[in-house]
Amino acid sequence: MFHSVICSESRKLIAQYMLGLDAEVTYHNFYPQLNQFHPLHFFTSPDSSIISKNISCASIGMNTVGIIRAPRGDGKEAIVLVTPYNPKKVVLGEALSLGVAYSVFSLLSRVTWLAKDIIWLVADSQYGEYSSVSAWLREYQAPQFHRVVVNSETCNESSTIEGKLYSGFRRAGTIAAALVVKVAEDGNHFDDSLNIYAEASNGQMPNLDLINIVNYLAVHKQHLRIKVSKMWSLLGSKWLNTLGVVLECIGQYARRLNPQWKFGIPANEYVEGTATLASSMYYQGLGVPTGPHGAFRDYQVDAITVEISPKVSPTKMNRHIDFIFRGGRLIEGVVRSINNLLEKFHQSFFLYLLTSPSKFVSVGVYMIPFALLGAPLPIVAASLYMFSSKTTPQAPVASEVDFSLESWKWINSAKKVFVIHLWGVAVSLLPYFLCRIPGLTPTNNLTVWGSFAVLSLVILFSMLGYPTSVAVPSEAEKREWANLKSVTLSATFIGLSLMSVINFATAEIGALLIVPFCLMARPLMLDIQARSMRTLLLATCNLALGFIAFPPCAFLLLKSAFDSSGGYNISDYWNWMESLWAWNSATYLYIGIVHLPCWALCIHILFHPS
Amino acid sequence: MALLSRKGTLFLLFLFSIFLLSASASNGSGEEEEEFWEELLLKPLPDRKVLSHFHFQNEAPLSDSFARHHHLFPKSIAQLVKKFHIKAMELSFTQGRWNYERWGGFDPISSHNAKPPGVELWAVFDVPPHQVDASWKDLTHALSGLFCASINFLESSTTYSAPKWTFQSALGSLRYGTLPREAVCTENLTPWLKLLPCRDKAGLSALMDRPSIYKSFYHSQRLHLTQAKTGANPKNSRVVLEQTLTVVLQPNILTGGTNYVSEAKMQPSWSLSSIFGRKINGRCVLAKSSNVYLQVERGLVTQLENLQSSTATFAANGTNLDDFGRNVGFELSVNPDRVLKEVEKSSSILYEYPIKVHKDSEQFDLGITWKHPVIWSTPHVPLYASRFLMGSGNERGAIAICMKSTESTQELVAANYVDQRCNFQVNVLQIVPWYIKVYYHTLQLFVDEKPQILTDFVERMHVSPSEDKVSPGLMELVLKLPCEVKSAVLNIEFDKGFLHIDEYPPDANQGFDIPSAIISFPDFNAGLQFSDNSLSKTPMLSKLQERSPVISYTEVLLVPLTTPDFSMPYNVITITCTVFALYFGSLLNALRRRVGEEERRLNDKGGKKDALLNRVLGKLSSKFRGRSSVSSQPSSSSSSSLISPKLILRVLLVAGIAVAWQYYS
């Protein structure tokens, strides 16, 4: 009760301040959306019709929205400022971010240069920052006219606190760009700095120009340090530092040869760039938005989250005005830059990986390693196919029927590959049913999931007729693995290519893990029979790669390598997967439908009796 | 003689005709004079702004000849009317948006003068139907030159259309077009002012200080042309040219203070000199009448009366608002000559100030000083309409027009309570450019958030689908909505089309506009009724009292269309050329090669392997000898199969030289 009074009071206060600036103010009620598994919604925009029926009024979230109309503008476009704010638990950082946004808003309500409308969304973040922003955007972009009334009479009491508030939802043209403003809770003890979060769902990035504007204004005008997320553990790694030093030496030598060759960069810069690149790639590959800006990207609106992190923590800060002034000036500059655009940002800067706030790797460059990784797959597949079809016809000239059967031999392997992929689909759909069962811990869930996967795989193999190693295999069966491998390679190649269109970073990371294993995989029996140094090395390599490419192992290995905070639990894997499907990430589908079946097939080849 | 008599009759005829002409001319000038009025209406708005509405009216008899000399009426307009047979025409240049919520929509000023941003033009022609389009095209070019605007872009058939019911009495010869992107500035105002007999040198138009006008929140300059018939004779018609300028100004900039709430409630005091920076020096002497009006709105009057009754002292004195602005709420700096009051109870009040001929000693400067904070609201449109785009992405979307009831409809319900089935009519006109491919079958209507069958509410419908690159799509709906309606939503889906490459604006363009929809309410009358009709009726007063439907415009929408990457063709051409070069190179190589020759070379290679060193030396010596290399041709051709060691040697030599040169230079 006390909480709800505070909530409505703080909302009223914000609305009052907005009204005082002659802004149009409305409240937007929304129902918190539960994380649900929608296997078919990975590639569609969020649906607006999913509202669970039994939600009480107390759980309604309420955004406060203020709109300044550009005095002489035509109202075709709007810029959105978002400040997430939890009215139930007010912390100083959020209050400061409200202060920054209010100072900008009050300035913008008086300026004459405004050409686009300004929307200030105070997002009620008690159910998560993302869900409130996405609920508002859903209402803005795809409203539902036919409403199912969920006891609206009882819930409306707080929305009519002031007579001047227009009850309907207000809009202001096409959203040109959005800026989420946050203030970090604790000080970083170094310097006033600015964190930029840009990754949206499925590795989509906002236009690079937006990041450039923020970076330029923050560095050159406000003298803030800009930071994008980094893999901190990479910074201290020895081998990376060594590599950096080597590259620096080569670069220096090259420069001595020709002063125009400037590819050499200082070692520490190289290490930092690599750490940033790794993190940029990881967050893009994860496909989970790194902040509320992700909701905008779902509607093709450029948005980033700007987190101002002060030198001292806001609780100990004694000069709040200075801080608000500085942050406000930065936001004003960004808003002004977007406001002055007669066009929109150029369409071609969406595919990039950041290596520092001011540097990036563009699509033309980062596609090359992926292409190089992917290119051997079809070539090896073709050569294997040639190999198997050349060696199998042992009889001098088979009959016509026999020949045609020989040329269709791959269909058997294709069938196997297809069935294994079906198994992958089934495995990735299982969590949908698992999360229906109440009262299961992550470990239990994972156990059930894993055991089901293994069991079904065993059953499948027995149904498909797994060649038992007891019987002496015929020559044709011996060559079967080559056929199987060639089809597996093709399937992997197709899967990776498809994924690279959807989420490039996932495809790249996935290719790094699976491609070596796919290329190397050959029956262990062959290696063991040969018993030479080379083949034994090959077999160990294969086993190690097979271990690394197994998704849970890969996850745990990466986690232990990059996450300095200890305590690795197997249940983390379940949580990680759960977060992936909760955020509708295509990475989940990739792991389930491409990576896991290909890994299983390679393992199958590895233990093939030959 | 016969000849002479003939000459005589001719002369007589000539004389007679001259007499007739002069008689008719004198007759005409006696009955139908050219007349000019100038008026200014000021109105305080609820959100601390001031509406000023200039109204100039010019009337002249319509003559048959082009060469007629006009005293007051602008000749260019008269020629336009003559040449293109214009029955009626309206052209408006607007900057900013009319705020229907705060500035009202249910009064004649907003109903006539709230226009969509940019240029809006409609015209009715008095020509046979097949000539209408040609006349329209000529008219757009003429107006474009006259007003320094790109109205000529309305010439293209993709930009204009022929709505049927939204404008009055059209019947096929009306054309309507808008340019939402047109920027409006002084270069459009100057030619507009040139049409006035006094320009901006004297009279009310002298107030138009450019910086203060263009600093306004809303600026709309309008030119309205009609032919009024005076008598039974159709030739006896007059041309009426109405020029209005509507400006919404902020009297003074608020100095930011901590006590924002109380400051917000108090209306700022203003005067003509504070909002325009100028005073009225005198009337335009050519004007028949020159008046300034101050309108106090219905809502404000009611509030002031409430205030008056609550304040005991004033109630005792028995002062009321008619008493020349000495009331609780505000004080006027100049006493009005006349107070006009609407007939109904709690009605708006007009204070009239006639402007006298110029005197150096006194300048007219009307001011209003607020004494008490008053909050009121303007009468709203029956249904407050907002239009928005739905969906995202470059493929498809939807346009939704959302109409919400305001207190005006609630009044209607109250008035018609006896009637069981009370309905009111809403006309919706929506024009979409051809590249927005609207699917008319997807039109949905939601009344009070429930989906409804369209035919239950739509009385008439006129749809002309768009034709690619030829004509825009047009949809006119006549809706009958029940009076107690809370909200009504029209929703229609569309696909985004592709433009031809040269139709795109340069590179990363902002998007394309969908012009405003027009929502009109023929059952509601925006006119005001003043009590004393008998007194001299100036054009503005008669305009205010005219029975006219309430019209409102929705927002202009911006549709981002797919923008191709225009640097892409270049990349494609480059890559294609590379591929072609590789392909044809290898093909030519394969075709040119002869198998027999190859075999012969292979055989040669077997025999001459040991003589490699000799041959290299020989070649080097031949190089040194220069010209004589022609003689060693056969040997070099035979050694071409052994190209690899030689090539490596050469490459190494060149690389070594390059490295050495780089290193030491």
Side-chain angles (χ1 to χ4, degrees), chain B residues 23 34-35 77 131 242 253 274 320 325 338 347 387 417 457 486 507 582 584 604 649:
Chain B
E34 292 174 20
E35 284 167 329
I77 297 292
Q131 287 175 15
E242 222 178 86
I253 298 117
S274 79
N320 63 6
R338 198 154 66 114
S347 51
R387 192 179 61 159
Y417 199 69
F457 291 89
K486 287 273 172 298
D507 232 14
L582 282 175
F584 280 109
D604 283 2
L649 202 74

Side-chain angles (χ1 to χ4, degrees), chain B residues 423-447:
Chain B
N423 282 322
F424 67 98
Q425 193 181 329
V426 182
N427 292 1
V428 180
L429 167 69
Q430 169 76 66
I431 296 168
V432 283
W434 65 264
Y435 39 81
I436 308 296
K437 300 194 158 93
V438 173
Y439 294 118
Y440 291 99
H441 73 277
T442 59
L443 182 68
Q444 282 176 303
L445 177 69
F446 298 86
V447 177

Side-chain angles (χ1 to χ4, degrees), chain A residues 262-278:
Chain A
K262 284 177 187 158
F263 58 81
I265 51 168
N268 59 338
E269 208 172 288
Y270 173 78
V271 172
E272 279 206 5
T274 314
T276 317
L277 183 69

